[in-house]
Amino acid sequence: MAARTLSYLLSRSRSLSSSSGAASLLPSLGGKSGGWRNSNNRYSTAAVVEELITPQVSINYTQHLINGKFVDAASGKTFPAYDPRTGDVIAHVAEGDAEDVNRAVAAARKAFDEGPWPRMTAYERSRILLRFADLVEKHNDEIAALETWNNGKPYEQAAKAEVPTFVRLFRYYAGWADKIHGLTVPADGNYHVQTLHEPIGVAGQIIPWNFPLLMFAWKVGPALACGNTIVLKTAEQTPLTALVVAKLLHEAGLPPGVLNIVSGYGPTAGAPLASHMDVDKLAFTGSTDTGKVVLGLAAKSNLKPVTLELGGKSPFIVCEDADVDKAVELAHFALFFNQGQCCCAGSRTFVHERVYDEFLEKSKKRALRRVVGDPFKKGVEQGPQIDTEQFEKILRYIKSGIESNATLECGGDRLGSKGFYVQPTVFSNVQDDMLIAQDEIFGPVQTIFKFKEIDEVIRRANSTRYGLAAGVFTQNLATANTLMRALRAGTVWINCFDVFDAAIPFGGYKMSGIGREKGIYSLHNYLQVKAVVTPLKNPAWL
Protein backbone atom coordinates (compact mmCIF):
# COMPACT_ATOMS: atom_id res chain seq x y z
CA MET A 1 0.00 0.00 0.00
CA ALA A 2 1.04 3.57 -0.48
CA ALA A 3 2.66 5.24 2.49
CA ARG A 4 -0.03 7.92 2.67
CA THR A 5 -2.90 5.43 2.90
CA LEU A 6 -1.17 3.26 5.49
CA SER A 7 -0.48 6.37 7.51
CA TYR A 8 -4.20 7.05 7.44
CA LEU A 9 -4.99 3.57 8.76
CA LEU A 10 -2.40 3.74 11.50
CA SER A 11 -3.44 7.21 12.64
CA ARG A 12 -7.05 6.09 12.70
CA SER A 13 -6.08 3.03 14.73
CA ARG A 14 -4.27 5.20 17.25
CA SER A 15 -7.23 7.53 17.61
CA LEU A 16 -9.51 4.59 18.36
CA SER A 17 -7.14 3.14 20.94
CA SER A 18 -6.47 6.41 22.75
CA SER A 19 -10.01 7.78 22.76
CA SER A 20 -11.75 7.70 26.11
CA GLY A 21 -14.91 6.87 24.20
CA ALA A 22 -13.44 3.95 22.26
CA ALA A 23 -15.69 1.49 24.04
CA SER A 24 -18.74 3.27 22.64
CA LEU A 25 -17.68 2.16 19.14
CA LEU A 26 -18.05 -1.50 20.07
CA PRO A 27 -21.03 -3.32 18.58
CA SER A 28 -23.83 -4.25 20.93
CA LEU A 29 -23.15 -7.47 22.79
CA GLY A 30 -25.43 -10.19 23.97
CA GLY A 31 -26.09 -13.90 23.92
CA LYS A 32 -23.94 -16.60 25.44
CA SER A 33 -20.52 -15.81 26.81
CA GLY A 34 -17.60 -17.36 25.03
CA GLY A 35 -13.84 -17.49 24.90
CA TRP A 36 -11.05 -19.50 26.42
CA ARG A 37 -10.31 -18.29 29.92
CA ASN A 38 -6.85 -18.35 31.43
CA SER A 39 -6.23 -19.57 34.96
CA ASN A 40 -6.99 -16.11 36.39
CA ASN A 41 -10.27 -15.85 34.46
CA ARG A 42 -9.17 -12.42 33.25
CA TYR A 43 -10.83 -12.48 29.88
CA SER A 44 -14.18 -13.35 28.47
CA THR A 45 -16.30 -11.86 25.75
CA ALA A 46 -19.86 -12.07 24.57
CA ALA A 47 -21.16 -13.01 21.18
CA VAL A 48 -21.70 -10.22 18.68
CA VAL A 49 -25.35 -9.55 17.86
CA GLU A 50 -25.89 -6.71 15.42
CA GLU A 51 -27.97 -5.71 12.44
CA LEU A 52 -25.78 -6.16 9.37
CA ILE A 53 -25.51 -3.35 6.85
CA THR A 54 -26.67 -4.30 3.35
CA PRO A 55 -23.96 -3.37 0.79
CA GLN A 56 -25.10 -0.77 -1.74
CA VAL A 57 -23.59 -2.57 -4.70
CA SER A 58 -24.80 -5.19 -7.17
CA ILE A 59 -22.92 -8.22 -8.46
CA ASN A 60 -23.00 -7.99 -12.26
CA TYR A 61 -20.02 -10.10 -13.40
CA THR A 62 -19.64 -13.75 -12.47
CA GLN A 63 -18.43 -15.34 -15.73
CA HIS A 64 -14.93 -15.85 -17.08
CA LEU A 65 -13.43 -13.02 -19.12
CA ILE A 66 -11.90 -14.50 -22.29
CA ASN A 67 -10.94 -12.57 -25.41
CA GLY A 68 -12.73 -9.46 -24.21
CA LYS A 69 -16.07 -11.20 -23.52
CA PHE A 70 -17.74 -12.60 -20.42
CA VAL A 71 -18.46 -16.29 -21.01
CA ASP A 72 -19.70 -19.29 -19.03
CA ALA A 73 -17.38 -22.10 -18.03
CA ALA A 74 -16.98 -24.75 -20.73
CA SER A 75 -18.47 -27.30 -18.33
CA GLY A 76 -21.33 -24.99 -17.33
CA LYS A 77 -20.33 -25.42 -13.68
CA THR A 78 -20.40 -22.67 -11.07
CA PHE A 79 -19.17 -22.37 -7.50
CA PRO A 80 -20.44 -20.18 -4.64
CA ALA A 81 -18.92 -16.92 -3.42
CA TYR A 82 -19.68 -16.11 0.21
CA ASP A 83 -20.21 -13.20 2.57
CA PRO A 84 -17.75 -13.92 5.43
CA ARG A 85 -19.96 -11.99 7.87
CA THR A 86 -22.60 -14.70 7.68
CA GLY A 87 -21.34 -17.55 5.54
CA ASP A 88 -24.24 -16.92 3.15
CA VAL A 89 -23.84 -17.31 -0.63
CA ILE A 90 -23.86 -13.98 -2.47
CA ALA A 91 -23.12 -15.17 -6.02
CA HIS A 92 -22.48 -18.21 -8.18
CA VAL A 93 -19.31 -17.83 -10.25
CA ALA A 94 -18.16 -19.71 -13.36
CA GLU A 95 -15.94 -22.62 -12.30
CA GLY A 96 -12.94 -22.91 -14.59
CA ASP A 97 -11.04 -26.04 -15.53
CA ALA A 98 -8.36 -27.02 -18.05
CA GLU A 99 -10.60 -26.29 -21.04
CA ASP A 100 -11.28 -22.75 -19.84
CA VAL A 101 -7.56 -22.21 -19.22
CA ASN A 102 -6.83 -23.48 -22.74
CA ARG A 103 -9.33 -21.02 -24.22
CA ALA A 104 -7.90 -18.14 -22.20
CA VAL A 105 -4.29 -18.98 -23.07
CA ALA A 106 -5.18 -19.27 -26.77
CA ALA A 107 -6.77 -15.82 -26.65
CA ALA A 108 -3.74 -14.37 -24.87
CA ARG A 109 -1.35 -16.02 -27.32
CA LYS A 110 -3.19 -14.68 -30.34
CA ALA A 111 -3.37 -11.20 -28.78
CA PHE A 112 0.39 -11.28 -28.22
CA ASP A 113 1.42 -12.80 -31.54
CA GLU A 114 -1.02 -10.95 -33.78
CA GLY A 115 -2.71 -8.21 -31.76
CA PRO A 116 -1.94 -4.52 -31.31
CA TRP A 117 -0.92 -4.44 -27.63
CA PRO A 118 2.80 -5.31 -27.93
CA ARG A 119 3.01 -3.36 -31.20
CA MET A 120 1.43 -0.07 -30.19
CA THR A 121 3.65 2.69 -28.89
CA ALA A 122 4.54 2.49 -25.22
CA TYR A 123 3.00 5.94 -24.83
CA GLU A 124 -0.38 4.66 -26.03
CA ARG A 125 -0.22 1.74 -23.59
CA SER A 126 0.52 4.29 -20.89
CA ARG A 127 -2.52 6.38 -21.84
CA ILE A 128 -4.82 3.32 -21.61
CA LEU A 129 -3.51 2.47 -18.15
CA LEU A 130 -4.01 6.08 -17.03
CA ARG A 131 -7.58 6.12 -18.35
CA PHE A 132 -8.18 2.89 -16.46
CA ALA A 133 -6.87 4.41 -13.22
CA ASP A 134 -9.25 7.34 -13.67
CA LEU A 135 -12.21 4.98 -14.14
CA VAL A 136 -11.36 2.98 -11.01
CA GLU A 137 -11.03 6.21 -9.04
CA LYS A 138 -14.47 7.26 -10.29
CA HIS A 139 -15.99 3.97 -9.08
CA ASN A 140 -13.99 3.86 -5.82
CA ASP A 141 -16.91 3.35 -3.43
CA GLU A 142 -18.69 0.61 -5.39
CA ILE A 143 -15.47 -1.36 -5.89
CA ALA A 144 -14.57 -1.02 -2.20
CA ALA A 145 -18.05 -2.19 -1.16
CA LEU A 146 -17.78 -5.29 -3.32
CA GLU A 147 -14.30 -6.01 -1.96
CA THR A 148 -15.58 -5.82 1.61
CA TRP A 149 -18.67 -7.89 0.88
CA ASN A 150 -16.65 -10.73 -0.65
CA ASN A 151 -13.56 -10.49 1.59
CA GLY A 152 -14.70 -9.19 4.99
CA LYS A 153 -12.09 -6.45 5.36
CA PRO A 154 -13.27 -3.12 6.85
CA TYR A 155 -14.95 -0.93 4.24
CA GLU A 156 -13.01 2.11 5.43
CA GLN A 157 -9.77 0.22 4.75
CA ALA A 158 -10.91 -0.80 1.28
CA ALA A 159 -12.32 2.61 0.30
CA LYS A 160 -9.73 4.94 1.82
CA ALA A 161 -6.59 2.82 1.50
CA GLU A 162 -6.75 -0.11 -0.87
CA VAL A 163 -8.67 1.22 -3.87
CA PRO A 164 -6.67 4.51 -3.87
CA THR A 165 -3.49 2.45 -3.68
CA PHE A 166 -4.69 0.31 -6.58
CA VAL A 167 -5.13 3.52 -8.60
CA ARG A 168 -1.69 4.76 -7.57
CA LEU A 169 -0.06 1.49 -8.62
CA PHE A 170 -1.55 1.62 -12.12
CA ARG A 171 -0.53 5.24 -12.56
CA TYR A 172 2.96 4.27 -11.44
CA TYR A 173 3.21 1.49 -14.04
CA ALA A 174 1.64 3.70 -16.69
CA GLY A 175 4.57 6.02 -16.06
CA TRP A 176 7.02 3.19 -16.63
CA ALA A 177 5.53 2.00 -19.93
CA ASP A 178 7.48 4.41 -22.16
CA LYS A 179 10.67 4.29 -20.09
CA ILE A 180 11.56 0.63 -20.67
CA HIS A 181 14.62 0.44 -22.88
CA GLY A 182 17.90 -1.38 -23.37
CA LEU A 183 21.54 -0.27 -23.38
CA THR A 184 24.40 0.31 -25.75
CA VAL A 185 27.21 -1.93 -24.54
CA PRO A 186 30.94 -1.41 -25.23
CA ALA A 187 32.67 -4.58 -26.46
CA ASP A 188 36.20 -5.56 -27.45
CA GLY A 189 36.66 -5.27 -31.25
CA ASN A 190 34.78 -3.53 -34.03
CA TYR A 191 31.22 -4.31 -32.95
CA HIS A 192 28.12 -2.36 -32.13
CA VAL A 193 26.33 -4.09 -29.23
CA GLN A 194 22.92 -3.19 -27.92
CA THR A 195 20.38 -4.86 -25.65
CA LEU A 196 16.66 -4.95 -26.31
CA HIS A 197 14.14 -5.34 -23.48
CA GLU A 198 11.22 -7.24 -24.98
CA PRO A 199 7.92 -8.41 -23.45
CA ILE A 200 8.14 -12.01 -22.35
CA GLY A 201 4.84 -13.10 -23.95
CA VAL A 202 1.86 -14.73 -22.23
CA ALA A 203 2.00 -14.30 -18.45
CA GLY A 204 0.09 -16.65 -16.18
CA GLN A 205 -0.80 -15.06 -12.86
CA ILE A 206 -2.38 -16.58 -9.75
CA ILE A 207 -3.46 -14.20 -6.98
CA PRO A 208 -4.60 -14.77 -3.36
CA TRP A 209 -7.72 -13.82 -1.43
CA ASN A 210 -6.37 -11.56 1.32
CA PHE A 211 -5.78 -8.48 -0.90
CA PRO A 212 -7.62 -9.29 -4.15
CA LEU A 213 -7.46 -5.80 -5.67
CA LEU A 214 -3.90 -4.99 -4.65
CA MET A 215 -2.57 -8.34 -5.83
CA PHE A 216 -4.33 -7.75 -9.15
CA ALA A 217 -2.46 -4.43 -9.45
CA TRP A 218 0.90 -5.90 -8.37
CA LYS A 219 0.64 -8.55 -11.08
CA VAL A 220 -1.29 -6.97 -13.94
CA GLY A 221 0.24 -3.46 -13.80
CA PRO A 222 3.87 -4.32 -14.63
CA ALA A 223 2.91 -7.08 -17.07
CA LEU A 224 0.79 -4.70 -19.14
CA ALA A 225 3.31 -1.86 -18.95
CA CYS A 226 5.90 -4.18 -20.53
CA GLY A 227 3.56 -5.16 -23.38
CA ASN A 228 2.60 -8.69 -22.31
CA THR A 229 -0.73 -10.48 -22.43
CA ILE A 230 -2.18 -12.21 -19.38
CA VAL A 231 -4.24 -15.11 -18.08
CA LEU A 232 -5.15 -14.39 -14.46
CA LYS A 233 -6.63 -16.93 -12.05
CA THR A 234 -8.41 -15.35 -9.11
CA ALA A 235 -8.71 -16.95 -5.68
CA GLU A 236 -11.87 -19.01 -5.42
CA GLN A 237 -12.77 -17.17 -2.20
CA THR A 238 -12.65 -13.69 -3.78
CA PRO A 239 -13.34 -13.74 -7.53
CA LEU A 240 -15.64 -10.73 -7.83
CA THR A 241 -13.68 -7.47 -7.85
CA ALA A 242 -11.14 -8.61 -10.45
CA LEU A 243 -13.97 -9.04 -12.95
CA VAL A 244 -15.33 -5.56 -12.26
CA VAL A 245 -12.01 -3.76 -12.67
CA ALA A 246 -11.18 -5.85 -15.75
CA LYS A 247 -14.40 -4.58 -17.33
CA LEU A 248 -13.26 -1.01 -16.62
CA LEU A 249 -9.85 -1.79 -18.13
CA HIS A 250 -11.54 -2.77 -21.39
CA GLU A 251 -13.63 0.41 -21.24
CA ALA A 252 -10.34 2.30 -21.05
CA GLY A 253 -9.26 0.79 -24.38
CA LEU A 254 -7.51 -2.49 -23.60
CA PRO A 255 -7.70 -4.70 -26.73
CA PRO A 256 -9.54 -8.06 -26.49
CA GLY A 257 -7.44 -11.02 -25.39
CA VAL A 258 -4.79 -8.97 -23.59
CA LEU A 259 -6.24 -9.68 -20.14
CA ASN A 260 -8.18 -12.90 -19.57
CA ILE A 261 -9.60 -13.99 -16.21
CA VAL A 262 -10.51 -17.53 -15.18
CA SER A 263 -12.16 -18.19 -11.82
CA GLY A 264 -11.83 -21.55 -10.13
CA TYR A 265 -9.96 -23.82 -7.78
CA GLY A 266 -6.23 -24.46 -7.58
CA PRO A 267 -6.11 -28.14 -8.63
CA THR A 268 -8.53 -27.73 -11.54
CA ALA A 269 -7.73 -24.22 -12.83
CA GLY A 270 -4.47 -23.10 -11.21
CA ALA A 271 -2.57 -26.29 -11.99
CA PRO A 272 -3.46 -26.30 -15.71
CA LEU A 273 -2.30 -22.69 -15.93
CA ALA A 274 0.98 -23.39 -14.11
CA SER A 275 1.74 -26.38 -16.34
CA HIS A 276 0.53 -24.91 -19.64
CA MET A 277 3.09 -25.26 -22.43
CA ASP A 278 2.05 -21.97 -24.07
CA VAL A 279 2.42 -19.79 -20.98
CA ASP A 280 5.77 -18.00 -21.06
CA LYS A 281 6.00 -16.77 -17.48
CA LEU A 282 4.22 -17.51 -14.20
CA ALA A 283 3.65 -15.33 -11.13
CA PHE A 284 2.09 -16.70 -7.93
CA THR A 285 1.23 -15.24 -4.54
CA GLY A 286 0.06 -17.60 -1.81
CA SER A 287 1.27 -20.16 0.70
CA THR A 288 4.76 -21.62 0.61
CA ASP A 289 3.44 -25.17 0.26
CA THR A 290 1.35 -24.24 -2.79
CA GLY A 291 4.28 -22.25 -4.17
CA LYS A 292 6.36 -25.43 -4.21
CA VAL A 293 3.66 -27.17 -6.25
CA VAL A 294 3.43 -24.26 -8.69
CA LEU A 295 7.19 -24.17 -9.15
CA GLY A 296 7.27 -27.91 -9.79
CA LEU A 297 4.51 -27.72 -12.41
CA ALA A 298 6.28 -24.89 -14.21
CA ALA A 299 9.56 -26.83 -14.23
CA LYS A 300 7.97 -30.06 -15.47
CA SER A 301 6.20 -28.32 -18.34
CA ASN A 302 8.14 -25.79 -20.40
CA LEU A 303 10.54 -24.57 -17.69
CA LYS A 304 8.80 -21.19 -17.64
CA PRO A 305 10.35 -18.62 -15.26
CA VAL A 306 8.43 -18.20 -12.00
CA THR A 307 8.17 -15.44 -9.43
CA LEU A 308 6.78 -16.41 -6.04
CA GLU A 309 5.60 -14.25 -3.14
CA LEU A 310 4.95 -16.71 -0.33
CA GLY A 311 4.48 -17.02 3.40
CA GLY A 312 6.09 -15.22 6.30
CA LYS A 313 6.59 -15.27 10.04
CA SER A 314 7.96 -11.78 10.44
CA PRO A 315 9.70 -10.62 13.62
CA PHE A 316 8.77 -7.28 15.19
CA ILE A 317 11.59 -6.29 17.55
CA VAL A 318 10.96 -3.82 20.37
CA CYS A 319 14.25 -2.63 21.84
CA GLU A 320 14.83 -1.46 25.40
CA ASP A 321 14.93 2.24 24.44
CA ALA A 322 11.55 2.13 22.70
CA ASP A 323 8.69 4.47 23.44
CA VAL A 324 6.46 1.69 24.77
CA ASP A 325 3.11 3.33 23.98
CA LYS A 326 4.08 3.89 20.34
CA ALA A 327 5.64 0.44 20.08
CA VAL A 328 2.48 -1.21 21.43
CA GLU A 329 0.30 0.55 18.86
CA LEU A 330 2.63 -0.20 15.96
CA ALA A 331 3.06 -3.85 16.97
CA HIS A 332 -0.71 -4.15 17.29
CA PHE A 333 -1.17 -2.72 13.80
CA ALA A 334 1.61 -4.91 12.39
CA LEU A 335 -0.19 -8.07 13.52
CA PHE A 336 -3.91 -7.35 13.49
CA PHE A 337 -4.12 -5.36 10.24
CA ASN A 338 -6.47 -7.04 7.75
CA GLN A 339 -7.66 -9.53 10.40
CA GLY A 340 -4.07 -10.79 10.66
CA GLN A 341 -4.42 -12.11 7.10
CA CYS A 342 -1.23 -10.55 5.83
CA CYS A 343 1.81 -12.52 4.64
CA CYS A 344 4.24 -10.02 6.19
CA ALA A 345 2.35 -9.58 9.48
CA GLY A 346 4.59 -8.88 12.46
CA SER A 347 3.56 -12.19 13.97
CA ARG A 348 6.55 -12.74 16.28
CA THR A 349 6.76 -9.79 18.68
CA PHE A 350 10.18 -9.82 20.40
CA VAL A 351 10.31 -7.43 23.39
CA HIS A 352 13.37 -6.54 25.46
CA GLU A 353 13.13 -7.86 29.02
CA ARG A 354 13.38 -4.35 30.53
CA VAL A 355 10.14 -3.20 28.90
CA TYR A 356 8.47 -6.61 28.48
CA ASP A 357 5.99 -6.42 31.37
CA GLU A 358 4.82 -2.92 30.52
CA PHE A 359 4.55 -3.76 26.83
CA LEU A 360 2.60 -6.95 27.53
CA GLU A 361 0.05 -5.29 29.79
CA LYS A 362 -0.56 -2.46 27.33
CA SER A 363 -0.75 -4.84 24.37
CA LYS A 364 -3.40 -6.86 26.13
CA LYS A 365 -5.44 -3.74 26.89
CA ARG A 366 -5.11 -2.59 23.28
CA ALA A 367 -6.35 -5.95 21.96
CA LEU A 368 -9.33 -5.82 24.32
CA ARG A 369 -10.22 -2.40 22.91
CA ARG A 370 -10.07 -3.58 19.32
CA VAL A 371 -13.41 -2.96 17.60
CA VAL A 372 -14.69 -6.15 15.92
CA GLY A 373 -17.91 -6.32 13.96
CA ASP A 374 -19.65 -5.71 10.66
CA PRO A 375 -16.88 -4.36 8.39
CA PHE A 376 -19.38 -2.00 6.74
CA LYS A 377 -19.95 -0.23 10.07
CA LYS A 378 -17.94 2.94 10.63
CA GLY A 379 -15.25 2.59 13.29
CA VAL A 380 -14.90 -1.21 13.00
CA GLU A 381 -11.24 -2.23 12.94
CA GLN A 382 -11.63 -5.97 12.40
CA GLY A 383 -14.08 -7.92 10.28
CA PRO A 384 -14.47 -11.68 9.88
CA GLN A 385 -11.84 -14.10 8.62
CA ILE A 386 -12.18 -15.09 4.98
CA ASP A 387 -13.92 -18.47 5.32
CA THR A 388 -14.65 -21.42 7.55
CA GLU A 389 -11.40 -23.20 6.64
CA GLN A 390 -9.22 -20.28 7.71
CA PHE A 391 -11.43 -19.63 10.74
CA GLU A 392 -11.07 -23.20 12.03
CA LYS A 393 -7.34 -23.25 11.28
CA ILE A 394 -6.81 -20.17 13.47
CA LEU A 395 -8.76 -21.70 16.34
CA ARG A 396 -6.66 -24.88 16.08
CA TYR A 397 -3.48 -22.82 16.39
CA ILE A 398 -4.90 -21.02 19.42
CA LYS A 399 -5.69 -24.37 21.03
CA SER A 400 -2.13 -25.51 20.23
CA GLY A 401 -0.71 -22.44 21.97
CA ILE A 402 -2.74 -23.15 25.09
CA GLU A 403 -1.72 -26.81 25.11
CA SER A 404 1.95 -25.77 24.69
CA ASN A 405 1.66 -23.74 27.92
CA ALA A 406 1.93 -20.30 26.35
CA THR A 407 -0.09 -17.85 28.47
CA LEU A 408 -3.36 -16.77 26.90
CA GLU A 409 -3.68 -13.13 27.90
CA CYS A 410 -6.93 -12.41 26.06
CA GLY A 411 -9.14 -13.70 23.29
CA GLY A 412 -8.82 -17.28 22.20
CA ASP A 413 -12.20 -18.13 20.74
CA ARG A 414 -14.78 -17.25 18.11
CA LEU A 415 -16.79 -14.06 18.44
CA GLY A 416 -20.50 -14.58 17.91
CA SER A 417 -22.29 -17.61 16.57
CA LYS A 418 -22.55 -16.58 12.93
CA GLY A 419 -19.85 -15.71 10.41
CA PHE A 420 -16.11 -16.15 10.79
CA TYR A 421 -15.16 -13.73 13.58
CA VAL A 422 -12.20 -14.50 15.86
CA GLN A 423 -11.48 -12.63 19.08
CA PRO A 424 -8.29 -10.53 19.04
CA THR A 425 -5.91 -12.89 20.81
CA VAL A 426 -2.63 -12.27 22.66
CA PHE A 427 -0.21 -14.93 23.94
CA SER A 428 2.74 -14.25 26.25
CA ASN A 429 5.56 -16.52 27.44
CA VAL A 430 5.84 -17.91 23.93
CA GLN A 431 8.82 -20.18 23.26
CA ASP A 432 10.58 -20.42 19.91
CA ASP A 433 9.84 -24.13 19.41
CA MET A 434 6.06 -23.80 19.83
CA LEU A 435 3.86 -24.33 16.79
CA ILE A 436 2.40 -20.82 17.15
CA ALA A 437 5.96 -19.48 16.98
CA GLN A 438 6.93 -21.43 13.88
CA ASP A 439 3.87 -21.63 11.63
CA GLU A 440 2.11 -18.87 9.74
CA ILE A 441 -1.24 -18.56 11.55
CA PHE A 442 -2.67 -15.89 9.22
CA GLY A 443 -5.09 -14.59 11.81
CA PRO A 444 -5.52 -12.14 14.73
CA VAL A 445 -3.14 -13.92 17.09
CA GLN A 446 -0.25 -11.94 18.60
CA THR A 447 2.61 -13.95 20.11
CA ILE A 448 4.96 -12.05 22.43
CA PHE A 449 8.51 -13.23 23.20
CA LYS A 450 11.10 -11.91 25.65
CA PHE A 451 14.75 -11.25 24.73
CA LYS A 452 17.83 -9.89 26.50
CA GLU A 453 20.63 -9.17 23.98
CA ILE A 454 20.72 -7.91 20.39
CA ASP A 455 22.82 -10.86 19.19
CA GLU A 456 20.31 -13.21 20.77
CA VAL A 457 17.29 -11.62 19.09
CA ILE A 458 19.06 -11.58 15.71
CA ARG A 459 19.67 -15.31 15.97
CA ARG A 460 16.12 -16.04 17.08
CA ALA A 461 14.50 -13.72 14.54
CA ASN A 462 16.42 -15.40 11.71
CA SER A 463 15.71 -18.90 13.00
CA THR A 464 12.78 -19.56 10.66
CA ARG A 465 12.26 -20.91 7.18
CA TYR A 466 10.69 -17.60 6.21
CA GLY A 467 12.28 -14.25 5.39
CA LEU A 468 9.62 -11.93 4.07
CA ALA A 469 9.75 -8.90 6.37
CA ALA A 470 10.80 -7.59 9.77
CA GLY A 471 10.09 -4.61 11.99
CA VAL A 472 12.50 -2.81 14.31
CA PHE A 473 11.42 -0.29 16.95
CA THR A 474 14.31 1.67 18.46
CA GLN A 475 15.54 5.23 18.95
CA ASN A 476 19.18 4.18 18.58
CA LEU A 477 20.62 4.63 15.08
CA ALA A 478 23.45 2.16 15.68
CA THR A 479 20.98 -0.50 16.81
CA ALA A 480 18.78 0.15 13.79
CA ASN A 481 21.77 -0.11 11.43
CA THR A 482 22.89 -3.38 13.01
CA LEU A 483 19.45 -4.99 12.82
CA MET A 484 18.58 -3.81 9.31
CA ARG A 485 21.68 -5.56 7.98
CA ALA A 486 21.56 -8.65 10.18
CA LEU A 487 17.92 -9.60 9.62
CA ARG A 488 17.47 -11.95 6.67
CA ALA A 489 14.29 -10.50 5.24
CA GLY A 490 13.23 -8.84 2.01
CA THR A 491 11.86 -5.76 3.79
CA VAL A 492 12.93 -4.25 7.11
CA TRP A 493 10.71 -1.48 8.48
CA ILE A 494 12.37 0.82 11.03
CA ASN A 495 9.90 2.51 13.41
CA CYS A 496 7.08 1.84 10.93
CA PHE A 497 5.37 -1.20 9.42
CA ASP A 498 3.36 -2.17 6.34
CA VAL A 499 4.50 0.77 4.21
CA PHE A 500 3.79 -0.39 0.65
CA ASP A 501 4.59 2.44 -1.72
CA ALA A 502 4.30 1.61 -5.42
CA ALA A 503 8.05 2.14 -5.91
CA ILE A 504 9.22 0.02 -2.94
CA PRO A 505 10.16 -3.56 -3.96
CA PHE A 506 8.58 -6.39 -2.01
CA GLY A 507 9.60 -10.03 -1.78
CA GLY A 508 11.27 -12.57 0.41
CA TYR A 509 14.43 -14.38 1.41
CA LYS A 510 14.53 -18.14 1.95
CA MET A 511 11.15 -19.89 1.61
CA SER A 512 9.25 -16.62 1.42
CA GLY A 513 9.66 -16.47 -2.32
CA ILE A 514 11.59 -15.79 -5.50
CA GLY A 515 11.82 -12.39 -7.16
CA ARG A 516 10.35 -9.01 -6.26
CA GLU A 517 7.03 -7.27 -6.76
CA LYS A 518 6.47 -3.53 -7.26
CA GLY A 519 8.91 -0.83 -8.26
CA ILE A 520 11.39 -1.16 -11.09
CA TYR A 521 12.22 -4.69 -9.96
CA SER A 522 8.81 -6.03 -10.95
CA LEU A 523 9.40 -4.98 -14.57
CA HIS A 524 12.32 -7.42 -14.76
CA ASN A 525 9.86 -10.28 -14.23
CA TYR A 526 8.04 -9.50 -17.48
CA LEU A 527 10.91 -8.75 -19.86
CA GLN A 528 13.35 -10.74 -21.94
CA VAL A 529 16.82 -9.27 -22.56
CA LYS A 530 18.12 -9.75 -26.09
CA ALA A 531 21.72 -8.91 -27.06
CA VAL A 532 22.20 -7.69 -30.64
CA VAL A 533 25.74 -7.64 -32.11
CA THR A 534 26.62 -5.96 -35.42
CA PRO A 535 30.09 -5.68 -37.03
CA LEU A 536 31.42 -2.17 -37.66
CA LYS A 537 33.50 -1.20 -40.70
CA ASN A 538 35.96 1.62 -40.14
CA PRO A 539 34.17 3.03 -37.09
CA ALA A 540 34.84 6.66 -36.21
CA TRP A 541 35.03 5.57 -32.56
CA LEU A 542 34.39 2.56 -30.36
Side-chain angles (χ1 to χ4, degrees), residues 1-6 164-174 176 214 217-218 222 499-506 516-523:
M1 290 189 180
R4 62 181 179 88
T5 50
L6 259 295
T165 299
F166 179 100
V167 171
R168 175 68 180 94
L169 282 158
F170 269 94
R171 286 178 176 152
Y172 175 84
Y173 289 118
W176 266 115
L214 291 181
W218 285 22
V499 178
F500 290 118
D501 189 270
I504 301 174
F506 184 80
R516 293 294 181 268
E517 308 263 18
K518 299 194 292 104
I520 188 173
Y521 296 90
S522 64
L523 301 174

Side-chain angles (χ1 to χ4, degrees), residues 14-205:
R14 284 173 177 161
S15 68
L16 286 171
S17 67
S18 60
S19 170
S20 59
S24 65
L25 295 171
L26 287 165
S28 58
L29 301 176
K32 68 181 182 66
S33 63
W36 297 91
R37 292 178 174 85
N38 62 22
S39 58
N40 296 320
N41 196 25
R42 296 173 64 190
Y43 185 90
S44 64
T45 189
V48 170
V49 178
E50 57 181 331
E51 190 72 26
L52 295 178
I53 293 173
T54 301
Q56 299 302 303
V57 63
S58 58
I59 299 173
N60 298 319
Y61 306 105
T62 58
Q63 298 168 291
H64 300 319
L65 176 63
I66 298 176
N67 203 29
K69 297 179 180 179
F70 287 103
V71 297
D72 291 332
S75 66
K77 291 182 180 179
T78 63
F79 67 93
Y82 298 96
D83 178 350
R85 301 177 302 166
T86 61
D88 294 340
V89 176
I90 58 175
H92 291 277
V93 181
E95 181 181 336
D97 58 20
E99 178 57 30
D100 300 292
V101 171
N102 287 338
R103 289 192 294 163
V105 172
R109 173 54 60 194
K110 184 174 182 180
F112 185 79
D113 290 345
E114 304 174 20
W117 186 250
R119 291 160 185 82
M120 69 174 59
T121 66
Y123 176 59
E124 182 57 30
R125 287 202 299 270
S126 173
R127 292 179 64 195
I128 290 172
L129 295 180
L130 289 172
R131 286 198 294 269
F132 169 56
D134 291 343
L135 284 171
V136 172
E137 191 168 54
K138 180 180 178 181
H139 293 277
N140 182 98
D141 293 352
E142 306 99 282
I143 294 169
L146 187 58
E147 186 84 332
T148 292
W149 196 10
N150 192 196
N151 174 274
K153 66 179 68 225
Y155 172 76
E156 288 183 296
Q157 175 184 320
K160 296 182 179 180
E162 296 191 15
V163 178
T165 299
F166 179 100
V167 171
R168 175 68 180 94
L169 282 158
F170 269 94
R171 286 178 176 152
Y172 175 84
Y173 289 118
W176 266 115
D178 59 358
K179 300 170 187 65
I180 297 168
H181 53 77
L183 301 170
T184 301
V185 182
D188 294 341
N190 292 350
Y191 298 99
H192 171 75
V193 183
Q194 66 185 95
T195 59
L196 301 177
H197 291 184
E198 300 179 344
I200 201 165
V202 176
Q205 301 179 329

Side-chain angles (χ1 to χ4, degrees), residues 321-385:
D321 64 344
D323 180 319
V324 174
D325 289 334
K326 291 181 180 179
V328 164
E329 188 59 41
L330 194 61
H332 180 87
F333 175 77
L335 186 282
F336 289 100
F337 172 60
N338 205 54
Q339 292 70 251
Q341 297 170 157
C342 190
C343 55
C344 58
S347 53
R348 291 183 296 150
T349 308
F350 290 95
V351 184
H352 194 277
E353 61 181 9
R354 292 184 183 175
V355 294
Y356 180 88
D357 290 341
E358 180 186 0
F359 181 94
L360 175 60
E361 189 61 27
K362 290 181 176 179
S363 293
K364 173 184 173 181
K365 290 178 180 178
R366 177 63 182 96
L368 288 168
R369 289 197 304 270
R370 187 165 184 80
V371 185
V372 185
D374 182 353
F376 282 103
K377 185 172 289 187
K378 188 173 182 179
V380 165
E381 297 175 275
Q382 181 177 316
Q385 309 307 129

